[in-house]
Amino acid sequence: TVPGLLAIILLAIAVIATARQADSTFLVDGTKVTTSFSLPELSRVALGAKGATFLGAAHAKVCFVMVLAASLFLLAAFPANGWLGDVLVEAPPATGILVATALPTIGLCAFLRIGCAVLPEGMRWASGIVVALGAVSAAHGALSALGQTDLRRLVACATTSQAGFVLLGAGSLTPQGLSGAIVLGATRALACAAFLLLASAIHERARTSDVTRLGGVATQMPGWGTALAAAGLAQAGVLGLGGAWGPVLALLGVLSSYAPLAIVAAIALVVMAAAHLSAISRIAFGSLDPEWKRSEL
């Protein structure tokens, strides 16, 4: 898509512009080079002390804005989250799973490795904005999930909410917050992939993933229903499951500096869990449509 291409271009421009400011370094064979794309080497460049500029402004600030804009799209964070739901509904199941798990993970890695590690001056400058975007993304995803009846669109809403906790954790600039953002990269991908796989499986058999039509289906498919409940609760960040560690660490990291925004995100986490519980309870305890008794489901 055009926004995806724009995100990649912005990342490439930020990295190339930063690489041109790199200090001289040596390769393993002793060769001296003046330009390096090694992230550890670029993270050692003191852009602020150099007084580096780009496009007429401080280099670290301009490049960080580019990285942030690209990461918002790849993470499917607010306000660049509209594309994911359509992709998951319209794309083949395998493609949807790959997009929903890979692109947000790439966005997370780009934001942490480039935005935080290579451009720390820009991160400190915009930390408040990043945390605010995180709280808004978490709330937007959670509230959107309440109105969703399609299991695949529910995944898109959960991804937006989880992207908010990534931004919260990174913007806090604390060890707990950054650890939470890193943990979310792994737990989110596993839970999201499992939930999407199960949602796609029922869609292939019933030709629908609308929970209003799948009421009581879990009674006929108990194994599938149990797996869907476990994946859904992990995706929602319910305490006691692996998906809770990332949001909890992000909240702990941001609580001391941005308590009101942390409270908003905490409420969003509860709302997201309620949205998943509502969908799962319909599937598990709802009245089975007589149509399914005559179908091949």
Side-chain angles (χ1 to χ4, degrees), residues 107-165:
L108 183 149
C109 290
F111 188 66
L112 294 181
R113 295 296 305 277
I114 302 175
C116 294
V118 176
L119 302 167
E121 295 97 335
M123 186 69 213
R124 285 193 291 269
W125 166 69
S127 61
I129 296 175
V130 172
V131 172
L133 283 171
V136 173
S137 293
H140 179 79
L143 293 175
S144 298
L146 282 177
Q148 294 299 334
T149 58
D150 189 290
L151 291 175
R152 293 171 298 179
R153 289 193 179 274
L154 184 61
V155 172
C157 296
T159 299
T160 298
S161 187
Q162 290 162 351
F165 286 99

Side-chain angles (χ1 to χ4, degrees), residues 13-277:
I13 292 174
V15 171
I16 292 172
T18 303
R20 295 184 64 181
Q21 298 290 337
D23 299 324
S24 299
T25 187
F26 296 90
L27 302 179
V28 292
D29 62 356
T31 304
K32 184 178 181 180
V33 293
T34 56
T35 300
S36 173
F37 289 95
S38 169
L39 292 180
E41 290 295 332
L42 293 179
S43 65
R44 299 187 183 100
V45 180
L47 296 170
K50 279 187 168 187
T53 60
F54 184 54
L55 299 179
H59 183 284
K61 295 180 180 179
V62 175
C63 288
F64 180 80
V65 170
M66 291 182 177
V67 172
L68 176 61
S71 300
L72 288 176
F73 173 81
L74 295 174
L75 285 167
F78 181 85
N81 60 311
W83 62 274
L84 184 57
D86 295 334
V87 168
L88 296 184
V89 171
E90 298 173 8
T95 303
I97 293 172
L98 181 63
V99 169
T101 55
L103 285 187
T105 304
I106 292 172
L108 183 149
C109 290
F111 188 66
L112 294 181
R113 295 296 305 277
I114 302 175
C116 294
V118 176
L119 302 167
E121 295 97 335
M123 186 69 213
R124 285 193 291 269
W125 166 69
S127 61
I129 296 175
V130 172
V131 172
L133 283 171
V136 173
S137 293
H140 179 79
L143 293 175
S144 298
L146 282 177
Q148 294 299 334
T149 58
D150 189 290
L151 291 175
R152 293 171 298 179
R153 289 193 179 274
L154 184 61
V155 172
C157 296
T159 299
T160 298
S161 187
Q162 290 162 351
F165 286 99
V166 169
L167 296 174
L168 274 173
S172 71
L173 298 176
T174 61
Q176 297 93 335
L178 290 170
S179 296
I182 294 170
V183 169
L184 269 167
T187 57
R188 188 211 68 83
L190 290 173
C192 174
F195 193 87
L196 267 179
L197 180 63
L198 294 164
S200 300
I202 194 65
H203 186 272
E204 289 296 314
R205 299 188 66 180
R207 296 295 182 266
T208 183
S209 55
D210 191 331
V211 297
T212 60
R213 294 201 59 214
L214 295 175
V217 166
T219 60
Q220 306 298 309
M221 305 169 61
W224 173 85
T226 301
L228 182 75
L233 295 179
Q235 178 176 249
V238 173
L239 291 175
L241 297 171
W245 287 107
V248 168
L249 286 171
L251 288 173
L252 290 175
V254 78
L255 186 61
S256 60
S257 302
Y258 302 94
L261 295 177
I263 293 172
V264 170
I267 294 173
L269 188 63
V270 175
V271 172
M272 179 59 68
H276 280 75
L277 284 171

